[in-house]
Amino acid sequence: AKLRQRVEEEAFAIDDSLTSTDIDDAISLSRDIHGHEWIRIHIADPARWLEHKSILDVIAHERASSIYLPEIIAPMIPTHAATDAISLFQTRENQAVTFAVRLGCAPSNSPGASEDISIENEGTIAEYGVTVSQLAHVRQCTYAQVDRLLLCPPSGPAVADGDEEFRGNDGQLRIRSLQRLNEIATIRYEYRKAQGALDFNIPRPRIVLTPGTDTSKEKQVELVKSQDNSPARALVQEMMLLAGEGGGLYAQDL
């Protein structure tokens, strides 16, 4: 436990629903004593529960990934563990593996933002690290909710019904953190494009089965297309890519 770095800032776990029980990642933003912004991507840490070469470890290696089908889910590890002990929940402290990255990016217009970072280095990774962590505060949000919050004006956010946790002074701080994370995600996206990255905007359909009616016992099949233009989804995607790059640089140093 002493090896785990305590993360005090609020980490946002963004998912499809507030009732999701399989939550494996969250993102947060903090500032060090020098005024530099650090983006932290937190990934749930199942390894702490799995003894090396145990039955669960062997099965997880064989499956490699959880498989989501319209009617069933074939999890990489048992469902009760994936949706309880290992998931990141708002109602408790959580253990994770944290990828920390500081960018050489343009300064934010937010009050107190550092102004000593060159615009010429915008989007590059200046510092990075990986550590096991203890998350003190996790805030669950939905993609639809974050999409709304990203559009709130900086002065006196107009918060919609259902977003009560984003009202008041604490709520405005949460909104500003999400908006700043979105600014950083946009900076990174533009940087990656300038470096030759390809953007495959492939539709991601989801099959939904609904029970049959009294007149017809056959289940109804509905094809739902994901919201490809969701800023919140783009934000999370960019943060996961950032974690991958930061983790790769960290591994090269080992």
Side-chain angles (χ1 to χ4, degrees):
K2 292 181 180 179
L3 293 175
R4 291 192 178 270
Q5 178 185 11
R6 188 171 176 82
V7 177
E8 293 291 349
E9 74 264 17
E10 201 162 48
F12 300 99
I14 308 173
D15 212 304
D16 288 303
S17 170
L18 290 176
T19 59
S20 295
T21 56
D22 183 4
I23 304 168
D24 55 12
D25 59 75
I27 55 177
S28 65
L29 183 68
S30 65
R31 202 175 290 279
D32 64 22
I33 59 174
H34 304 293
H36 294 137
E37 287 180 321
W38 282 86
I39 306 102
R40 288 186 170 86
I41 301 96
H42 314 282
I43 309 298
D45 184 12
R48 75 187 191 277
W49 296 104
L50 302 180
E51 185 178 345
H52 183 53
K53 292 188 177 179
S54 65
I55 293 176
L56 284 179
D57 185 43
V58 171
I59 292 174
H61 274 282
E62 289 176 349
R63 294 191 176 185
S65 177
S66 296
I67 299 173
Y68 295 85
L69 299 174
E71 292 186 282
I72 61 170
I73 298 174
M76 187 169 63
I77 55 179
T79 301
H80 69 274
T83 60
D84 182 12
I86 294 172
S87 282
L88 306 179
F89 282 109
Q90 181 169 306
T91 54
R92 69 181 185 207
E93 292 199 359
N94 298 271
Q95 293 177 321
V97 176
T98 293
F99 298 79
V101 176
R102 182 176 72 82
L103 296 184
C105 61
S108 168
N109 293 324
S110 303
S114 172
E115 296 184 0
D116 60 353
I117 304 174
S118 171
I119 292 178
E120 284 73 19
N121 293 327
E122 190 171 336
T124 61
I125 293 179
E127 291 185 74
Y128 48 85
V130 180
T131 184
V132 289
S133 60
Q134 183 87 8
L135 307 184
H137 308 284
V138 171
R139 177 70 54 185
Q140 289 181 250
C141 315
T142 68
Y143 287 112
Q145 186 178 43
V146 174
D147 282 340
R148 292 194 300 271
L149 296 172
L150 292 178
L151 296 176
C152 286
S155 57
V159 178
D161 292 340
D163 297 339
E164 284 74 16
E165 293 178 337
F166 293 89
R167 298 182 189 276
N169 292 334
D170 289 344
Q172 289 188 31
L173 289 174
R174 292 179 185 124
I175 293 172
R176 284 201 290 270
S177 292
L178 284 168
Q179 290 177 338
R180 179 55 183 158
L181 283 166
N182 191 53
E183 289 176 11
I184 293 170
T186 302
I187 289 170
R188 276 291 296 177
Y189 175 73
E190 295 299 333
Y191 171 78
R192 291 191 307 102
K193 280 208 313 183
Q195 299 301 308
L198 299 177
D199 185 10
F200 294 99
N201 190 13
I202 301 173
R204 292 172 295 170
R206 183 165 57 95
I207 299 173
V208 178
L209 295 180
T210 55
T213 63
D214 293 336
T215 56
S216 174
K217 299 300 181 183
E218 291 187 2
K219 293 185 177 181
Q220 304 298 309
V221 180
E222 182 181 2
L223 189 62
V224 180
K225 183 181 177 182
S226 64
Q227 189 178 352
D228 297 321
N229 62 344
S230 164
R233 291 184 184 277
L235 163 61
V236 172
Q237 174 180 289
E238 210 57 51
M239 293 297 108
M240 295 304 113
L241 290 171
L242 183 59
E245 185 174 342
L249 292 170
Y250 180 83
Q252 286 181 351
D253 294 340
L254 296 179

